[in-house]
């Protein structure tokens, strides 16, 4: 989990716009994994705009989570108006 | 002259590293090391307990560490800032087995204590590094015996008046004592607040030898 100090961007700042920061991988913070029920999802994008880690992407296949950075905060689950996102204990998944 | 890599080779020294989730379990990590070191101090040992400042400022869920040292000799490595070769590793939350090098640097015969409902066999699958030096895994469902206490006094706990081992720290410290006998259980009980949780954890903690897990494949 630790990286060499020269790899850490100065003051933790990265050039914008950027969606991934190799110096700050937060996936290991996650204790619960968001799981999408595609049948319920209306693709309203509320979760997309609410995710503090920009870990939700809108793709042609629907909403996708970037588990390398998702820290399992559960905000997406709170804000989804149709209850399409559930939180499952991370250790239930072997990957 | 002593060579520099043998400088802190202290035969009587035991290092305890507790991993926890930032903010939610800061107190619990702190309590495990404080309870064990205070109990050891009662037994005339030399002790130290502190937080890893590299992990701070802690944010919610970020993996954070608390450290303890117990020795029957004066601790020479007193100013070494991190536990580089732990003998005891404790996880206040089970998911910490995943994607984090929790066993980094462990010494031969080290033990791992985990707060979990799951069997050691299952957790073992996620631990990819450092298992050759690991002797046993101790599982205890500490969350069913006590709660995590959020004090908002930060990792150092400067204003924490809730008492040592009021929450999850009590059953976890009890499981450490069961697995290692690093202090007597009576001395541990005399330090911690939640004695009932500690007693139940001491009875119920499951010790599984890693050799058996490896053979089972
Ligand atoms: S908030 Fe819910 S319904 Fe809207 S896009 Fe996200 S998952 Fe789908
Ligand atoms: S749990 Fe939090 S970090 Fe993960 S996708 Fe949902 S809002 Fe983003």
């Amino acid at each position: 989990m630790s990286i060499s100090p020269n790899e850490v961007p100065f003051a933790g700042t990265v050039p914008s716009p950027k969606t991934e920061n190799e110096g700050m991988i937060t996936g290991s913070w996650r204790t619960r994994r968001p799981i999408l029920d595609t049948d319920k999802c209306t693709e309203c994008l509320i979760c997309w705009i609410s995710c503090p880690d920009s870990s939700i992407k809108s793709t042609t296949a629907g909403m996708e989570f970037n588990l390398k950075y998702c820290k399992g905060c559960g905000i997406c689950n709170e804000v989804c108006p149709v209850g399409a996102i559930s939180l499952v204990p991370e250790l239930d998944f072997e990957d | 002259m002593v060579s520099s890599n043998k400088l802190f080779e202290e035969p009587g020294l035991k290092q305890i590293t507790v991993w926890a989730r930032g903010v939610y379990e800061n107190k619990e990590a702190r309590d495990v090391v404080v309870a064990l070191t205070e109990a050891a101090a009662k037994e005339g040992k030399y002790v130290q307990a502190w937080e890893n400042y590299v992990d701070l400022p802690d944010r919610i869920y970020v993996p954070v560490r608390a450290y303890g040292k117990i020795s029957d000799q004066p601790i020479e490595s007193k100013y070494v800032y991190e536990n580089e070769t732990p003998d005891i590793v404790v996880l206040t939350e089970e998911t910490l087995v995943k994607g984090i090098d929790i066993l980094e640097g462990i010494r031969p015969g080290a033990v791992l204590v985990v707060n979990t409902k799951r069997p050691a066999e299952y957790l073992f699958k996620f631990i990819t590094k450092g298992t050759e030096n690991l002797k046993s895994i101790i599982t205890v469902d500490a969350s069913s015996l006590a709660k995590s206490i959020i004090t908002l006094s930060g990792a150092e706990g400067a204003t924490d008046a809730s008492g040592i081992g009021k929450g999850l720290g009590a059953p976890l410290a009890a499981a450490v004592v069961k697995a290692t006998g690093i202090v007597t259980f009576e001395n541990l009980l005399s330090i911690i607040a939640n004695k009932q949780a500690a007693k139940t954890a001491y009875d119920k903690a499951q010790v599984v030898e890693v050799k058996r897990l490896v053979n089972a494949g």
Side-chain angles (χ1 to χ4, degrees), chain A residues 19-82:
Chain A
T19 51
E20 295 209 1
N21 174 3
E22 288 294 328
M24 193 66 183
I25 297 169
T26 47
S28 67
W29 301 20
R30 187 174 64 250
T31 63
R32 302 163 302 169
R33 183 183 290 195
I35 296 293
L36 181 72
D37 181 342
T38 41
D39 291 343
K40 282 192 191 160
C41 176
T42 60
E43 299 193 27
C44 69
L45 299 186
I46 292 177
C47 60
W48 170 82
I49 204 165
S50 305
C51 174
D53 288 288
S54 305
S55 299
I56 307 180
K57 254 200 321 211
S58 173
T59 72
T60 46
M63 310 309 294
E64 272 177 14
F65 302 102
N66 183 350
L67 295 176
K68 186 170 164 193
Y69 294 94
C70 163
K71 53 190 176 205
C73 68
I75 290 176
C76 51
N77 155 277
E78 287 283 330
V79 296
C80 175
V82 294

Side-chain angles (χ1 to χ4, degrees), chain A residues 28 90-93 95, chain B residues 21 59 98 118 122 125:
Chain A
S28 67
E90 180 60 30
L91 267 202
D92 286 358
F93 304 93
D95 62 316
Chain B
R21 294 287 175 188
R59 287 134 292 169
K98 202 169 177 176
R118 300 178 203 259
Y122 187 74
K125 288 191 214 172

